[in-house]
């Protein structure tokens, strides 16, 4: 059984009290040192983590001195015969490639060996308690304050009946309370499922049923109509609907000393809900160990460091906004400037300018949008940026060139590639390499795979040589444990030798650079967001007057990338088609938070299908693009109706 000597214990206590270790003496009174209940909790949890077990706290009530505190937690230290001398270098476990690279990049890594989000929060609070962790609007939170909030939230949720292994759905936008809530849930050993903050009742209910959630936490109290709709959708489930304010009110109620459980590294920390080819939302299981692995994989090529300032408007309920833009900076002790979830170029650029942001991220579409609608570029100074990730959708070399030219940047915008099933990041174009690589077809290389990633390009079960295209298959210590409560889908996701099937088509060139050139699955990518056609079609088909529909992502080569187009066969008479199209657009916007670019009302039988009724997406896309080309060549007054 592991134990702890008194100097080590005194060092922990000194760090919590922000005192020099040499000032802590065995006979000192805890009251004289200013030890409060929250300090007791913090010390207890750190000792439990160090010893790897939960401690008996029954005798803490009688503790008055530092030595009594130590004995109450650690107990009498057994006297053992001295162990024979051992060559530490010979017995130390070999560092993983990712850990070795992090240590080499940072010089030293005080978080080496940390394999849970809970321990990362605590360790960072000890190392840099007064450093700003994040800010949202005018609210600033230090790492020490974050750790305290996290502990209080965990205890409040436990008093509310949440236990380790329970799933808590977190439904809120970017805000100052999100990170304390996210980490509070995982600190308790529960599983957090962050979802789109404006999700409709049907989607919320679908996810709650899928993951058997015990609680849904919302940003604010829902109005009566929303409550009625949600109650109806949740009928038959046993889930508590809790407003954010109620959680934080309860979190201030008290600080009981009963220790919190210590999450296991291989326990599931979060579920990232994503749409697949079927349209059913799937909970991608991400473990503490997997998340920490991907964080370590991303730090060296991006050269993240403690002096970085991350500026992000990306949603924290999604992988890139959460893992890349809040967890990576926490690992290195950097600052995060969090903005509302809204692509407002002026606010984005103002934040980078004001806070001298060094790192940001967005899909390719966002940079193109900002070029057009960002206003006078002379008002902003983005030269503090050293790394701007371009990911979540196909990367255009023209976007990178135009954005860097407009803002006087060079080698700052860097392509990347990833997916929820490997946490988030699989490849970055490293800062150590200038320029880009664009192949003969105009596809941009997204960089070499991150350390400890295996990449195999496959056609069926056959691995393809360099330069040959096939499905991109990935294997990494960061990969998902599978889809929550869905063994069948999990089996289809993974190969017999443990690779994740991404559904993306690509190749690796002779220099080891990965190129993504297409998709094997029919997925719509709009402004970096993935949508399954079936997910959209089910919404459209539920509108009265609709007979059938098809959802397509169509890229006509303009600045916006793919648009969401809906082709709708109506039961309603032609005179009602305009009203019906408006109703369809409104319902899709309400359910998905995304407005379709075009709703094409078409005659019955227009949507192509196979002999057994399956929609033929490629045929419809080719037909539409051919008609568009004909219209542009010969102007006409033809309408979709």
């Amino acid at each position: 059984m592991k134990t702890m000597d008194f100097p080590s214990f005194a060092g922990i206590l000194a760090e919590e009290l922000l005192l020099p270790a040499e000032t802590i003496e065995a006979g000192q009174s805890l009251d004289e040192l200013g030890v409060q209940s929250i300090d007791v909790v913090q010390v207890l949890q750190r000792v439990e983590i160090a010893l790897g077990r939960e401690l008996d706290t029954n005798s803490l009530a009688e503790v008055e001195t530092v030595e009594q505190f130590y004995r109450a937690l650690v107990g009498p230290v057994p006297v053992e015969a001295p162990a024979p001398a051992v060559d530490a270098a010979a017995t130390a476990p070999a560092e993983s490639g990712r850990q070795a690279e992090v240590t080499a990049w940072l010089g030293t890594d005080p978080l080496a060996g940390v394999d849970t989000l809970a321990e990362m929060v605590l360790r960072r609070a000890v190392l840099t308690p007064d450093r700003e962790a994040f800010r949202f609007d005018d609210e600033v939170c230090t790492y020490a304050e974050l750790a305290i909030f996290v502990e209080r939230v965990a205890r409040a949720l436990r008093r509310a009946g949440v236990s380790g292994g329970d799933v808590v759905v977190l439904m809120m936008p970017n805000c100052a309370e999100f990170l304390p809530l996210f980490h509070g849930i995982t600190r308790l050993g529960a599983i957090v499922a962050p979802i789109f903050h404006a999700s409709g009742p049907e989607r919320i209910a679908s996810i709650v049923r899928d993951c058997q959630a015990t609680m849904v936490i919302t940003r604010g109290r829902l109005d009566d109509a929303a409550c009625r709709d949600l109650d109806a959708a949740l009928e038959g489930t046993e889930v508590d609907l809790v407003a954010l304010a109620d959680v934080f009110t309860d979190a201030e109620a008290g600080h009981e000393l009963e220790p919190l459980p210590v999450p296991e590294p291989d326990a599931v920390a979060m579920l990232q809900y994503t749409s697949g080819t079927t349209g059913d939302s799937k909970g991608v299981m991400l473990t503490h160990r997997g998340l920490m692995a991907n964080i370590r994989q991303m730090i060296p090529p991006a050269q993240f460091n403690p002096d970085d300032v991350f500026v992000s408007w990306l949603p924290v309920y999604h992988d890139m906004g959460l893992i890349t833009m809040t967890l990576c900076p926490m690992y290195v002790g950097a600052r995060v400037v969090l903005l509302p979830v809204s692509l407002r170029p002026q606010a984005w650029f103002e934040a980078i300018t004001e806070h001298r942001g060094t790192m940001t991220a967005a899909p390719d579409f966002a940079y193109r949008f900002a070029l057009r609608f960002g206003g006078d570029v002379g008002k902003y100074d983005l030269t503090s940026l050293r790394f701007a990730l371009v990911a979540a959708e196909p990367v255009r070399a023209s976007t990178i060139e135009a954005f860097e030219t407009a803002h006087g940047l060079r080698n700052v915008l860097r392509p990347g590639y990833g997916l929820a099933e490997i946490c988030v990041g699989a490849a970055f174009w490293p800062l150590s390499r200038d320029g880009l690589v664009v192949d003969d077809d105009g596809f941009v290389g997204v960089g070499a795979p991150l350390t400890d990633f295996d990449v195999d390009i496959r056609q069926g079960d056959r691995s393809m040589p360099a330069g040959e295209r096939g499905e991109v298959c990935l294997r990494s210590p960061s990969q998902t444990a599978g889809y929550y409560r869905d063994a069948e889908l999990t089996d289809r996701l993974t190969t017999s030798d443990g690779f994740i099937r991404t559904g993306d088509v690509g190749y690796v060139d002779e220099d080891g650079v990965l190129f993504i050139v297409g998709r094997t699955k029919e997925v719509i990518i709009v402004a970096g967001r993935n949508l399954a056609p079936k997910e959209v079609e089910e919404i459209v088909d539920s509108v009265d007057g609709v007979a059938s529909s098809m959802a397509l992502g169509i890229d006509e080569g303009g600045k916006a990338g793919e648009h969401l187009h809906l082709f709708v066969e109506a039961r309603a008479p032609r005179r009602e088609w305009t009203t019906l199209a408006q109703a369809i657009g409104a319902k899709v916007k309400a359910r998905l938070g995304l407005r379709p670019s075009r709703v094409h009302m078409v005659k019955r039988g227009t949507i192509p299908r196979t002999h057994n009724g399956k929609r033929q997406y490629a045929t419809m896309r080719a037909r539409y693009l051919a008609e568009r080309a004909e219209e542009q060549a010969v102007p006409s007054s033809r309408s979709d109706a």
Side-chain angles (χ1 to χ4, degrees):
M1 180 181 293
K2 294 172 65 175
T3 188
M4 176 181 289
D5 60 19
F6 180 81
S8 298
F9 174 81
I12 290 175
L13 180 59
E15 288 178 341
E16 292 298 330
L17 300 177
L18 303 181
L19 296 173
E22 59 270 18
T23 64
I24 303 295
E25 298 177 358
Q28 282 181 296
S29 163
L30 297 181
D31 287 340
E32 291 175 357
L33 286 171
V35 175
Q36 300 177 348
S37 59
I38 189 64
D39 301 319
V40 173
V41 172
Q42 298 284 70
V43 170
L44 168 64
Q45 288 160 356
R46 290 190 60 195
V47 173
E48 286 182 329
I49 290 172
L51 299 183
R53 66 181 188 274
E54 187 171 327
L55 301 176
D56 182 5
T57 59
N58 290 333
S59 58
L60 278 179
E62 307 299 323
V63 165
E64 293 181 357
T65 68
V66 174
E67 183 176 11
Q68 290 172 347
F69 190 15
Y70 167 66
R71 295 296 178 188
L73 293 183
V74 180
V77 179
V79 178
E80 299 178 355
V86 176
D87 183 352
T91 59
E95 280 189 327
S96 66
R98 59 191 177 279
Q99 181 61 71
E101 286 196 1
V102 171
T103 302
W105 162 243
L106 296 176
T108 181
D109 182 11
L111 270 68
V114 170
D115 278 324
T116 67
L117 298 181
E119 192 176 357
M120 180 171 70
V121 172
L122 291 173
R123 185 77 63 87
R124 181 46 61 194
V126 169
L127 293 168
T128 52
D130 298 324
R131 183 175 295 174
E132 181 179 311
F134 71 90
R135 65 172 58 215
F136 182 83
D137 288 339
D138 295 327
E139 298 184 61
V140 177
C141 183
T142 67
Y143 280 108
E145 290 168 339
L146 175 61
I148 291 170
F149 274 125
V150 165
E151 299 294 324
R152 290 176 177 173
V153 167
R155 293 178 183 279
L157 293 175
R158 182 166 64 179
R159 287 193 293 272
V162 178
S163 303
D166 287 348
V167 179
V168 178
V169 172
L170 193 53
M171 191 179 78
M172 60 181 58
N174 292 5
C175 58
E177 298 86 359
F178 183 95
L179 290 176
L181 277 167
F182 175 89
H183 288 288
I185 295 167
T186 62
R187 176 66 187 90
L188 184 58
I191 302 169
V192 59
I195 66 172
F196 175 46
H197 64 279
S199 295
E202 295 89 349
R203 178 168 173 79
I204 299 169
S206 172
I207 289 173
V208 165
R209 288 192 172 89
D210 180 75
C211 66
Q212 297 181 339
T214 60
M215 181 179 289
V216 176
I217 302 177
T218 61
R219 178 73 174 89
R221 292 180 177 85
L222 303 179
D223 59 36
D224 291 343
C227 279
R228 285 194 299 271
D229 291 343
L230 188 53
D231 285 344
L234 291 171
E235 186 176 359
T237 67
E238 296 182 3
V239 61
D240 292 327
L241 190 62
V242 179
L244 168 70
D246 295 334
V247 175
F248 275 82
T249 298
D250 193 36
E252 298 291 336
H255 313 300
E256 75 276 14
L257 296 182
E258 182 183 352
L260 291 166
V262 179
E264 292 293 330
D266 292 319
V268 177
M270 67 175 287
L271 300 178
Q272 179 70 70
Y273 271 88
T274 181
S275 295
T277 54
T278 65
D280 300 321
S281 294
K282 305 186 303 295
V284 179
M285 294 189 288
L286 303 179
T287 66
H288 286 269
R289 193 189 303 276
L291 286 161
M292 296 303 298
N294 203 219
I295 291 167
R296 290 186 174 107
Q297 288 169 322
M298 290 189 283
I299 287 171
Q303 298 182 4
F304 295 150
N305 65 77
D307 296 326
D308 271 329
V309 179
F310 288 61
V311 178
S312 179
W313 54 267
L314 296 175
V316 285
Y317 48 77
H318 201 259
D319 46 22
M320 188 159 71
L322 175 63
I323 302 169
T324 309
M325 300 303 289
T326 76
L327 299 188
C328 283
M330 179 180 290
Y331 191 100
V332 298
R335 297 170 54 209
V336 176
V337 178
L338 192 60
L339 305 175
V341 185
S342 177
L343 178 47
R344 295 165 51 226
Q346 290 87 350
W348 185 17
F349 295 163
E350 285 170 1
I352 293 171
T353 301
E354 177 184 352
H355 298 284
R356 307 310 297 148
T358 61
M359 194 279 170
T360 194
D364 189 282
F365 162 77
Y367 294 101
R368 297 196 304 271
F369 183 90
L371 275 171
R372 185 170 183 182
F373 301 106
D376 180 9
V377 296
K379 294 170 55 180
Y380 312 108
D381 179 5
L382 307 190
T383 56
S384 59
L385 284 175
R386 58 172 195 80
F387 181 56
L389 180 62
V390 191
E393 65 180 10
V395 179
R396 300 181 182 184
S398 58
T399 301
I400 293 175
E401 180 181 358
F403 191 92
E404 290 193 339
T405 299
H407 291 280
L409 307 175
R410 186 173 182 274
N411 294 322
V412 170
L413 270 65
R414 298 280 166 158
Y417 167 71
L419 63 158
E421 284 79 359
I422 49 89
C423 285
V424 60
F428 285 168
W429 193 261
L431 282 177
S432 59
R433 184 170 176 179
D434 289 345
L436 298 172
V437 174
V438 183
D439 71 7
D440 293 340
D441 296 318
F443 294 110
V444 177
V446 295
L450 303 181
T451 300
D452 293 335
F453 259 94
D454 294 322
V455 177
D456 197 18
I457 307 299
R458 296 186 178 182
Q459 289 186 6
D461 294 328
R462 185 164 61 97
S463 296
M464 306 305 294
E468 294 293 323
R469 297 182 178 188
E471 182 177 14
V472 179
C473 297
L474 303 173
R475 186 169 59 190
S476 167
S478 69
Q479 73 191 47
T480 177
Y483 295 123
Y484 194 64
R485 299 177 62 241
D486 199 327
E488 182 181 347
L489 275 179
T490 299
D491 286 343
R492 294 209 297 265
L493 173 70
T494 52
T495 66
S496 59
D497 51 351
F499 281 79
I500 296 291
R501 300 181 187 276
T502 68
D504 292 312
V505 177
Y507 70 93
V508 176
D509 71 7
E510 296 287 352
D511 297 323
V513 175
L514 176 64
F515 291 78
I516 305 299
V517 302
R519 299 191 288 272
T520 63
K521 54 193 179 184
E522 189 67 42
V523 175
I524 302 165
I525 303 179
V526 180
R529 179 178 175 185
N530 287 16
L531 295 169
K534 183 180 176 183
E535 181 179 18
V536 183
E537 290 157 2
E538 286 179 347
I539 298 170
V540 176
D541 292 350
S542 69
V543 177
D544 288 341
V546 172
S548 182
S549 66
M550 176 183 282
L552 283 178
I554 294 179
D555 186 344
E556 299 181 40
K559 293 185 178 296
E562 283 193 0
H563 291 268
L564 173 58
H565 284 242
L566 303 178
F567 297 85
V568 181
E569 296 178 357
R571 290 193 182 93
R574 185 181 292 266
R575 64 177 179 276
E576 297 177 7
W577 281 9
T578 300
T579 302
L580 181 57
Q582 293 170 347
I584 291 167
K587 186 157 188 178
V588 171
K589 176 67 166 59
R591 287 283 300 277
L592 299 178
L594 180 71
R595 183 179 293 105
S597 295
R598 293 287 300 275
V599 178
H600 307 271
M601 303 303 299
V602 297
K603 297 177 181 178
R604 300 286 289 272
T606 299
I607 295 174
R609 296 176 181 272
T610 63
H611 68 278
N612 58 358
K614 291 185 178 179
R615 295 171 174 87
Q616 294 180 301
Y617 295 98
T619 300
M620 190 69 185
R621 181 181 290 107
R623 181 190 300 171
Y624 172 77
L625 291 175
E627 290 176 355
R628 284 286 295 164
E630 183 181 340
E631 288 176 353
Q632 290 168 358
V634 182
S636 77
S637 58
R638 177 184 172 277
S639 68
D640 294 305

